[in-house]
Structure formats: C-alpha cells, structure tokens
Amino acid sequence: MSPEPETSLTGARGLEPLGIEIPAGVPTHWYNLAADLPSPMPPHLHPGTKEPLGPADLAPLFPMALIMQEVATDRYLEIPQVVREIYAKWRPSPLIRAARLERELGTPARIYYKYEGVSPAGSHKPNTAIAQAYYNAVEGITKLTTETGAGQWGASLSMACALLGMECEVWQVRASYDAKPYRKLQMQTYGATCHPSPSTLTEAGRAMLANDPDTTGSLGMAISEAVEAAAKDPKAHYSLGSVLNHVLLHQTVIGQEALAQLAAAGEEQADVVFGCAGGGSNLGGLSFPFIGQNLREGTTTRVVACEPAACPSLTQGEYRYDFGDVAGLTPLLKMHTLGKDFVPPPIHAGGLRYHGMAPMVSHVVELGLMSAIAVEQDHAFEAGVVFARAEGIIPAPESTHAVAGAIDYARRVTTPEVIVIGLSGNGILDLPAYEAYV
Amino acid sequence: MSPEPETSLTGARGLEPLGIEIPAGVPTHWYNLAADLPSPMPPHLHPGTKEPLGPADLAPLFPMALIMQEVATDRYLEIPQVVREIYAKWRPSPLIRAARLERELGTPARIYYKYEGVSPAGSHKPNTAIAQAYYNAVEGITKLTTETGAGQWGASLSMACALLGMECEVWQVRASYDAKPYRKLQMQTYGATCHPSPSTLTEAGRAMLANDPDTTGSLGMAISEAVEAAAKDPKAHYSLGSVLNHVLLHQTVIGQEALAQLAAAGEEQADVVFGCAGGGSNLGGLSFPFIGQNLREGTTTRVVACEPAACPSLTQGEYRYDFGDVAGLTPLLKMHTLGKDFVPPPIHAGGLRYHGMAPMVSHVVELGLMSAIAVEQDHAFEAGVVFARAEGIIPAPESTHAVAGAIDYARRVTTPEVIVIGLSGNGILDLPAYEAYV
C-alpha cells in the first residue's frame, strides 16, 4: 500500500487536541510585557486617518484572536492545547552551557545559549507560525500569505500550514530567493507556493519592478505583496513573522523557558542577555521575560540588542511613526526606523534586513530597559566560526550577531558573570554565507 | 577586540572534563550486544593471511582503545566523561510521539520516532565521531582521515575534530560532492579539508580514475583513499563512520535512551522498531539495546531493517567474507555483501550506498534476531513527504526508508501496537532530493 501525500492538504484538520502528554517544561502561557511596562505602548495608527487602529481595521488581514492579542494588557495569555502539543515536539528548546567556548576564550564568565535551531524548521519562527496558523484555521481561514527574507519565516509558516491543513503562499525577497534555493524547496516540501519578490503577481510588485527592474527586493516590498494578495482573497489572511506585538508575545516561550532553565542550573540571575535584532521577534521573545522579571522582582539583567551595522534601525534610525512596508499598506507603527524606502545591502543575515524594529522593542529601548549595539558582518561571521569550532553548532547568520556581542563581552569581563546568548537558529541552509570566512 | 578563529585549530585541546553537570538521561555506558548474543561474532580476518586479526594488525589505522572495543565482550563499556559532556549538548535526543501522523494514517498504533537530527551536524553520526576523535587524540594522533557519502559522516567527524583540536581530511563520493555543495562548506566551516573521490591524491584514486575517468564514485572507493592517506602519515589515523563493531557500539546511546524514554512514556515494550540500513550504524545503535532486552528479559520487540531497493545488501546480498573497500585494503569482514566492486546507482540516500552491511547487523540477521525489507526510492520519498506534512520534520533521505516501512506497517495493523522509527537525521541539506516528489 502506498502512502498518499495528497491527503495532507485537503482542508483544515488537526484543530482538536490529541490528548498526549506534554513535558512540564513547555510553558502554559505566553508572557505579555505590556502588563509590566511603566508606560503604555504607543498605539498603531490607521494609515489613512492617523487615528489609533480599531479591531475592525485589522479584520481583513488577521483573525480576531490575534487582533485582541495585539492590544492585550493581561500579563499571561493561555496557549491553546493544540499549539502546546505541537510545541512539545521540540520544546522546551535546550539551554546549553557553552563551557568549551568559555575555555577557548579564557573567560571567567559562564556562557549559556538558548538554542532554537532544534525546531523542525531550524529557527525560532515556528513558535509564532503555529500559533498564527491555529487561530486563523479556527476562524475558518483556509489560506495564509506572507513574505520572507532568508526564508526561515516562510519555511516555518509553510510547516505550520501543512500541520493545520491550510494553503500557504510566500513572497521571498529576490536576493534570498536567488541565493538560497534550498529554502524554496523546503517550503515546497511542506506544500507551499513560493514567489520571488517583487513579482508580477501583485499591483505593488509590478509598480516596484517598473520603478527598478533589477531590484534585489526587501522585506518591506515583499510585505506589500503578501498583504495585497490576502486583502483580495476572502478566504485568505496575512501572517507576519516579526514586528507586531502578538508575534513577540508568542516568542516569549523562549525567555520563559530560559529563566526556568537557568534556575534549574543553579544560576541566581543572568547578568547579560545578547539577542540578534532584525524585526525583533527573537530578541523580544528571549528578553521580555527577563525584563519583566527586572521590573517586577528587581533583578538586574541587562539586555543587549545586536543589530547588523548594515541595517542599524535601533542605533541609527529615528524613533517615529512609519509604515511597516514599502507601499504604505500597513498601519503606522511607532518604531525605530531607517525609513520605509531604505533598501539594505544584500547582507547574508537576510532575516535582519528590515528598515524598522518591532514597536515593543523600540518602546523598551526608549524606556532605557534595553541597549543596542551594531555589529559588522565580518566580525559576526568570525564569531560564528569560533562558536562552531568550540560548540559544534554552526549559528544562523542572524544569530552570529548575538554571538559576536557575547564573545566580545566575555573576553573583557573579569568576574564570573552569567551571559545568555539567543541562538535563534542554525546556519545549515546559510552555509554559502560562511564560505568567505573559512 | 576581534574573535580569533585560528586559535581553534592549534593542537589537541579539550581532553580534560569541564566538570559541568550532565542530564540524567545521557547514558553512562555504551551497550555491547556481543555480550548477550547466543553465538559469537565471526572474527575479522587479515586480508593477506586470512587469519583472525590481531590488535597489532589494526594499530596503523586505529587507536588501541578502539581496537579493544572492536573485540570487546563486556556488556557495558564506560563512556569517557569528556565524550559525555559533548553528548550532553544534544543528548538525550528526543523520542517524539507521532500523534499527528497517527491521526493522518487512521492507525490504532502508537508511533514514536527517535530523532537524531537535533545534533549539531543534523544526524546520528556525531555519537561515534566524538568518541573516535577523543580516543585518537588521547593517544597523540593529530589528524583523522575518512570517507563520506552524502556528507553526514564527513561533517560529523569534521565537527568532532574541531572540538578536539585535530586536523580532518575527508574524501567524499563524487556523486554527492557534486550534488550537495553545502556539505563541503559545512566541513570547511569546521576547519576540515574535503576532496571528491576518486581523487588524484592517492594511488587507489588514480587507479580508479584510470579505470573509469567518469565514475561517480562509491563509499568503497573513498574508503580506499582515506585508508591509504592515513597509512602513509604516522601522525594520522583513519576513522570509519559505520560498519565496524566499535562504531555500532558508540551508537547504542540511541537505543538505550529510547528504551528509557518509552518506559517514561508508560509503554511496556516496543512491538516493532524500524531503522534504515546502509552501513548499519544507526540501525544497530537503535535496535541492539532492544534486541539485548529481548535476549535477556524475554521481551518480544521485532526489529525491521529498511534498506534501499537499489542497494539491497541484506535482502539480496550473500553472507560471506568480503573487503570493506574496493581496493581490498581493509580486513575481510563476514557480512551481507553485494560484492566490493558493486557500484550502486546514485540514489539520493547517499548514506545507504554501501556494498556491504555491518558484520554485527549481518550476524544478528543470520541468527533470526532481525528481519529486513527493501524499499523503493519513490516510495520512501512519498513517505517522507507524508511525515513532513504531519510532523513538521523533513526526514533525511536515509531516514525515509524507515519511515516508509513504519507507515506501511501502521496502515495495516488493527491493534494499538507500539512502533518506533529511527529518524537518523533531518533532510535539510538534502532538499533537492525531495524536488521530484513535491
């Protein structure tokens, strides 16, 4: 008898819990930093009226459950059981002592890394992809559209859609689409469709191509295309892999687990947390539970956002309202931005090529609860090679920025500080990026 | 201050334990099935004299610790603490309930998969790579040579050598070298050197090229080259990624963990274990602890070896003494073999393209303690796609053979049997192989 792969794609399925046992280490709730902030988040604004958005404004693109999460002020939001059952396939992700790296660096610091590369897609992105696909499927949506840069997000949403029986259509930034053919194959293996962006399939794409036929694309352009496609299809919604509050919310499983794992390892607190900063979802997901603990319990963990010098929204951008995309279709978000028309150079860390920063991360930086540094690409890859040869894992190009920040810091400290690195993914599908450094 | 990757490669290092805490689930010993077999293993023979090999015969290629493990009869052999500390970076690997796949198949069976893809190299191979590099480094060897097919083994040994401060030189079967450029980059990132095989660097390689300049290569050819290179260099040894008893021994961490994890999940015993069969190391590592339990405690777990129909050593080969390589440089091994000169077609599951089978697996099959089936490539990939869309993980092409065996079986059973699949690795670097099936 032959397996029948086509049965996997016939309509939404798998929305009922299976009743399997879930390890105790898998969080039961997402943590919402908004509940603990000393001043409230600036609201997202309607792109036309410039008034704060209402739920109805977002309804064409998002399910109501996610819209409500976007403005939620509860400290904890329960994770649906179906989502937890899928999380349990790889969560809790490991917190690993980098003891061989410590010895290599000759540092007195104790370095840990929270490793999201064990997920089926190889990065932290499935944490929100699964949640978003679930809420959409429950509300009767049968298709999701999205953009992707390096492809980690597109692959993750493709996987989530396969598991929950939905269609998935992805616009991938052309620079990455051409340079990283494996990612497209990964999405297709999950049954998704992947187009290079800008494409001729949307008005936004055609306009961008008319303006510059040789553009290498950007996340901002790809977002415009995916949003337009969803808006035109009543059975489709749009899904964003970073930036928005509800995305960062879903990623807080990372930081919550890390706090529990540090405690289990006998550490009183982390002294410094280094996370890579692109759209902000891995950084926020890792760090917000630490920042919340600082605010509630008086711990003194510092958080350092490590962004690429080639796309320095936090360290060089303005803090103001801006669009999330190039065409100006999205709500206005208060964030650190290089301007919606900024096209970053085609650096290897495709996931960090975004003109803006998550509004929640931006707000937290403005409040002085997080600092930021910019890391040169060469320096990041050098650190990635040091890490790979000491710890075995080849970090994703995005993650190497956090690794570089942590290594530089660890070389300087003279006391046994506790350092946590957010290792957002592995670099297995980004190996050509390492070629110049080995 | 800049990280200095070059310091990672200066001489053996890291041979002292770090004293970090190791999770209880990481085995303390390897399990040696030889201690429980009803009849002893046929000895390996000297290729010249045809007499049983003595330790001195193997000394030019292997460290004494591994030579003694090759003929050990103790039931348990202690794992060095340094090796356990490295294992602990990803071990115990997860045993995951495939509950979504069960629902997809409509089977009453409970299916589990033991997932080795969480290792830094993405497969089970580091389990023995770390051990082999360690024993060699302790005995003063500074360089290892090896062959690799799909590249999983070459990448794993490269990683192990990086962690233990050794040089590594790899001959990769040309078919895979050309088709899978990422693997070479992975090895280079770890600091290793990788050549396509046959190469002009060895006498064996030059002879093969003279015979057939267009050969796509084979594991047997690449072994000849790596063995020759090691034999000529007094500071170098050779390292084999499968087939030999000590390799299978190191892999028994997989099956020991699976037994403990099944018990923790409340399962009395596994009814059937499906493993993919190439050289036999993943299969043996997973299944030998189950077979040992059968022999000692009377459990009735069946083990099914799933080999590719294109290279069917167990189901079509003869059980006799044969060389492990093409040039006839290795000892004679009693095994199921298609003949040392058999060149399998360039199937995608490069790790299963070997003319022979591990002598220990062959012996176990002859004793009736394990059965074998051959799986067509198309059928294996179809099963891989079904699995990916239900469980999220894209299996390695090798692993899809076990998945296919298990899915076919699960579709037929009418009672809640417990099925275990050996998921030897992920297919992220083998995505082009899936292209034809999606």
Side-chain angles (χ1 to χ4, degrees):
Chain A
M1 213 171 338
S2 171
E4 291 151 21
E6 64 276 16
T7 62
S8 299
L9 295 176
T10 51
R13 70 202 160 91
L15 298 182
E16 292 303 313
L18 290 153
I20 56 174
E21 205 176 324
I22 297 177
V26 179
T28 56
H29 293 72
W30 292 302
Y31 166 69
N32 183 11
L33 178 61
D36 291 317
L37 287 176
S39 74
M41 286 283 297
H44 308 330
L45 303 183
H46 189 283
T49 66
K50 308 286 195 295
E51 293 296 315
L53 278 183
D57 297 321
L58 289 169
L61 291 183
F62 299 104
M64 201 45 65
L66 294 178
I67 293 171
M68 298 318 292
Q69 288 181 358
E70 190 65 16
V71 294
T73 53
D74 316 75
R75 182 171 291 131
Y76 292 103
L77 294 162
E78 191 172 1
I79 305 175
Q81 193 65 4
V82 171
V83 175
R84 289 189 76 226
E85 286 183 348
I86 298 175
Y87 280 176
K89 293 185 183 296
W90 71 91
R91 306 212 71 85
S93 70
L95 181 81
I96 303 172
R97 175 83 181 269
R100 299 185 81 82
L101 178 65
E102 293 167 18
R103 182 162 58 187
E104 183 74 12
L105 299 175
T107 178
R110 294 193 293 280
I111 305 175
Y112 296 84
Y113 50 101
K114 179 68 173 165
Y115 183 43
E116 292 294 309
V118 295
S119 87
S123 78
H124 67 295
K125 295 289 188 183
N127 297 331
T128 185
I130 297 292
Q132 292 190 45
Y134 172 79
Y135 286 119
N136 275 289
V138 165
E139 294 190 20
I141 293 298
T142 59
K143 175 179 172 176
L144 292 177
T145 70
T146 197
E147 75 294 331
T148 195
Q152 291 177 343
W153 168 243
S156 299
L157 192 68
S158 300
M159 180 194 88
C161 286
L163 264 63
L164 295 163
M166 305 177 80
E167 282 183 76
C168 187
E169 192 169 7
V170 183
W171 276 263
Q172 183 171 23
V173 175
R174 175 168 288 283
S176 293
Y177 183 91
D178 291 339
K180 297 177 176 175
Y182 281 50
R183 285 287 185 200
K184 178 185 59 178
L185 292 169
Q186 192 180 14
M187 295 181 232
Q188 290 172 339
T189 300
Y190 290 128
T193 308
C194 178
H195 315 291
S197 170
S199 75
T200 56
L201 298 167
T202 65
E203 286 176 35
R206 288 188 293 270
M208 293 169 208
L209 286 171
N211 184 50
D212 177 5
D214 298 323
T215 177
T216 53
S218 72
L219 278 175
M221 292 184 198
I223 292 173
S224 295
E225 294 203 272
V227 166
E228 181 185 323
K232 285 182 175 165
D233 182 345
K235 300 296 270 181
H237 268 168
Y238 167 72
S239 182
L240 190 64
S242 191
V243 179
L244 293 179
N245 301 346
H246 68 267
V247 181
L248 275 60
L249 176 78
H250 301 154
Q251 294 293 356
T252 59
V253 290
I254 304 172
Q256 291 184 79
E257 289 174 6
L259 278 170
Q261 290 164 322
L262 279 173
E267 301 293 0
E268 230 169 81
Q269 72 164 27
D271 292 294
V272 201
V273 173
F274 291 90
C276 60
S281 77
N282 178 68
L283 173 66
L286 172 66
S287 69
F288 286 178
F290 286 88
I291 292 171
Q293 186 181 261
N294 285 350
L295 293 167
R296 290 193 314 277
E297 301 172 23
T299 47
T300 55
T301 300
R302 284 162 288 149
V303 177
V304 182
C306 303
E307 64 180 11
C311 193
S313 55
L314 278 174
T315 55
Q316 302 281 332
E318 289 179 71
Y319 184 54
R320 61 171 169 88
Y321 275 101
D322 195 6
F323 291 100
D325 70 328
V326 170
L329 299 177
T330 71
L332 287 160
L333 308 174
K334 184 84 179 278
M335 59 182 177
H336 291 85
T337 177
L338 298 161
K340 75 177 176 60
D341 297 315
F342 178 81
V343 178
I347 57 171
H348 292 299
L352 306 186
R353 291 178 79 232
Y354 185 62
H355 68 273
M357 177 53 62
M360 212 157 174
V361 167
S362 292
H363 185 58
V364 161
V365 168
E366 282 300 299
L367 291 174
L369 304 174
M370 183 190 292
S371 62
I373 61 172
V375 179
E376 296 287 345
Q377 175 165 273
D378 285 8
H379 189 58
F381 275 105
E382 282 170 19
V385 172
V386 170
F387 187 91
R389 294 181 185 179
E391 292 295 315
I393 295 166
I394 300 175
E398 292 80 8
S399 310
T400 59
H401 293 74
V403 171
I407 286 181
D408 291 350
Y409 185 82
R411 286 187 194 273
R412 287 196 307 265
V413 296
T414 53
T415 56
E417 293 196 29
V418 174
I419 296 172
V420 175
I421 303 173
L423 211 66
S424 57
N426 68 54
I428 292 297
L429 284 190
D430 304 291
L431 282 163
Y434 275 88
E435 194 162 17
Y437 304 90
V438 296
Chain B
M1 209 171 346
S2 172
E4 291 152 19
E6 63 277 16
T7 63
S8 299
L9 295 176
T10 50
R13 67 201 164 92
L15 299 182
E16 292 302 314
L18 290 153
I20 55 173
E21 206 177 321
I22 297 177
V26 179
T28 56
H29 293 73
W30 292 302
Y31 167 68
N32 183 10
L33 179 60
D36 290 317
L37 286 177
S39 73
M41 286 282 298
H44 307 330
L45 303 183
H46 190 285
T49 67
K50 309 283 195 297
E51 293 296 315
L53 278 183
D57 297 320
L58 289 170
L61 291 183
F62 299 104
M64 200 46 65
L66 294 179
I67 292 171
M68 298 318 290
Q69 288 181 358
E70 190 65 18
V71 293
T73 53
D74 315 76
R75 181 172 291 134
Y76 291 103
L77 294 161
E78 193 171 1
I79 304 175
Q81 193 67 1
V82 171
V83 174
R84 289 188 76 227
E85 286 182 349
I86 298 175
Y87 279 174
K89 292 186 183 297
W90 71 91
R91 306 211 71 86
S93 70
L95 181 80
I96 303 172
R97 175 81 181 270
R100 299 185 82 81
L101 178 64
E102 294 166 17
R103 182 162 58 187
E104 182 75 14
L105 300 175
T107 177
R110 292 192 295 280
I111 306 176
Y112 296 84
Y113 49 101
K114 179 68 171 165
Y115 184 43
E116 292 293 309
V118 296
S119 86
S123 78
H124 66 294
K125 295 288 187 183
N127 296 331
T128 186
I130 298 293
Q132 292 190 45
Y134 171 79
Y135 286 119
N136 275 288
V138 165
E139 295 190 18
I141 293 297
T142 59
K143 174 179 173 176
L144 292 177
T145 71
T146 196
E147 76 294 330
T148 195
Q152 292 177 342
W153 169 243
S156 299
L157 191 69
S158 299
M159 180 193 88
C161 285
L163 265 63
L164 295 163
M166 305 176 80
E167 282 183 77
C168 186
E169 192 170 8
V170 182
W171 276 263
Q172 182 172 22
V173 175
R174 176 168 287 283
S176 293
Y177 183 91
D178 291 339
K180 297 177 178 175
Y182 281 50
R183 285 289 185 199
K184 177 185 60 179
L185 292 169
Q186 192 180 14
M187 295 182 231
Q188 290 172 340
T189 300
Y190 290 127
T193 308
C194 177
H195 315 292
S197 170
S199 75
T200 56
L201 299 166
T202 65
E203 286 177 36
R206 288 189 292 271
M208 293 168 208
L209 286 171
N211 185 50
D212 176 5
D214 298 323
T215 177
T216 54
S218 72
L219 277 175
M221 292 184 197
I223 291 173
S224 295
E225 294 204 273
V227 166
E228 182 186 322
K232 284 180 174 165
D233 182 345
K235 299 296 270 182
H237 268 167
Y238 167 72
S239 182
L240 189 64
S242 191
V243 180
L244 294 178
N245 301 345
H246 68 268
V247 180
L248 275 60
L249 176 77
H250 301 153
Q251 294 293 357
T252 59
V253 290
I254 303 172
Q256 290 183 81
E257 289 174 5
L259 278 170
Q261 289 164 323
L262 280 173
E267 301 293 0
E268 228 169 86
Q269 71 163 27
D271 291 295
V272 201
V273 173
F274 291 90
C276 60
S281 77
N282 178 67
L283 173 67
L286 172 66
S287 69
F288 286 179
F290 286 89
I291 293 171
Q293 185 180 263
N294 285 349
L295 292 167
R296 290 193 315 276
E297 301 172 23
T299 47
T300 56
T301 300
R302 285 162 289 149
V303 176
V304 181
C306 303
E307 63 180 11
C311 194
S313 55
L314 279 175
T315 55
Q316 302 280 333
E318 288 180 71
Y319 184 53
R320 62 173 169 85
Y321 275 102
D322 196 7
F323 291 100
D325 70 328
V326 170
L329 299 176
T330 71
L332 286 161
L333 307 174
K334 184 83 179 277
M335 60 183 177
H336 290 85
T337 177
L338 298 161
K340 74 178 176 59
D341 296 315
F342 177 80
V343 178
I347 57 171
H348 292 298
L352 306 186
R353 291 178 79 230
Y354 185 62
H355 68 274
M357 177 52 61
M360 213 157 172
V361 167
S362 292
H363 186 58
V364 161
V365 168
E366 283 299 299
L367 292 173
L369 304 175
M370 182 190 293
S371 62
I373 60 172
V375 179
E376 296 288 345
Q377 176 165 272
D378 285 8
H379 188 60
F381 275 105
E382 282 170 19
V385 172
V386 170
F387 187 91
R389 294 182 184 179
E391 292 295 315
I393 295 166
I394 300 176
E398 292 79 8
S399 310
T400 60
H401 292 74
V403 171
I407 285 182
D408 291 349
Y409 184 81
R411 286 188 194 272
R412 286 196 306 266
V413 296
T414 53
T415 56
E417 294 197 28
V418 175
I419 296 173
V420 175
I421 302 173
L423 210 67
S424 57
N426 67 54
I428 292 296
L429 283 189
D430 304 291
L431 281 164
Y434 274 89
E435 195 162 16
Y437 304 91
V438 296

